[in-house]
Amino acid sequence: DWGARTHAALERPNLSKCQAWSPDPRSLLDVELLLEPPADSDPMPDVPARARMCRLPGGALRPGLRVLGNPLGSDAYCAAFYASKASDTGVLVDAIIRLSASDILHAAQSAYLLLRYCALPKVTHLLRAARPALIRPAALVHDAHIARGLSHIVGSGDWLCVDPASAAARPRAWRDA
């Protein structure tokens, strides 16, 4: 078994990678654990290992966990995770806007490439595994940040806004397109 081979090779398993989550911790009672942590490094020696899998080090129930960069857990945990990623996009876009406004040669091109390859994927990759109802608010915030950043890079004004009332303020070439 994996646990015995790991110990035989004189290696220590990374127990932070051994996590489980369930909306009801009792559902994990039937899970067979292949690896028990050594007693000297056990952060919660009085809590059975099966119950420990869905608890934080302080003993509180784990609201969720990340699996391959995507949240797995309660709706509140997932929504907060998505909102945090959308907020991170705003911080990154602010820095990209500062770059695009600088006098550096090729600043606009550099800012566009950073926006496209660094800021845009912050939330878009999460769409593959997210429930639409949970990620929609974060996706709207993320899209607003990206549109704001692109508007600053391609020219002054908010030409990418989706408000129909502001269509008259757009250049004629953009309105006719």
Side-chain angles (χ1 to χ4, degrees), residues 68-141:
L68 301 175
N70 290 287
L72 172 67
S74 67
D75 287 353
Y77 174 80
C78 292
F81 183 90
Y82 299 139
S84 171
K85 290 295 182 183
S87 176
D88 292 348
T89 301
V91 172
L92 186 55
V93 167
D94 289 340
I96 291 170
I97 288 171
R98 285 193 303 275
L99 170 65
S100 71
S102 71
D103 294 331
I104 300 171
L105 185 65
H106 307 298
Q109 180 182 7
S110 299
Y112 170 73
L113 292 172
L114 286 170
L115 185 73
R116 181 176 179 186
Y117 294 113
C118 297
L120 186 61
K122 280 265 193 226
V123 172
T124 54
H125 79 280
L126 296 171
L127 296 172
R128 295 182 186 119
R131 289 198 348 243
L134 288 179
I135 200 167
R136 187 178 196 287
L140 292 173
V141 169

Side-chain angles (χ1 to χ4, degrees), residues 19-108:
Q19 301 175 16
W21 182 85
S22 172
D24 183 4
R26 294 173 295 180
S27 67
L28 295 174
L29 294 177
D30 294 331
V31 174
E32 285 294 325
L33 292 181
L34 301 175
L35 178 67
E36 289 288 332
D40 59 341
S41 68
D42 192 351
M44 296 183 291
D46 55 333
V47 179
R50 288 182 178 90
R52 188 181 323 116
M53 290 178 72
C54 59
R55 294 195 177 270
L56 296 170
L61 282 176
R62 179 184 304 275
L65 53 97
R66 280 187 0 198
V67 178
L68 301 175
N70 290 287
L72 172 67
S74 67
D75 287 353
Y77 174 80
C78 292
F81 183 90
Y82 299 139
S84 171
K85 290 295 182 183
S87 176
D88 292 348
T89 301
V91 172
L92 186 55
V93 167
D94 289 340
I96 291 170
I97 288 171
R98 285 193 303 275
L99 170 65
S100 71
S102 71
D103 294 331
I104 300 171
L105 185 65
H106 307 298

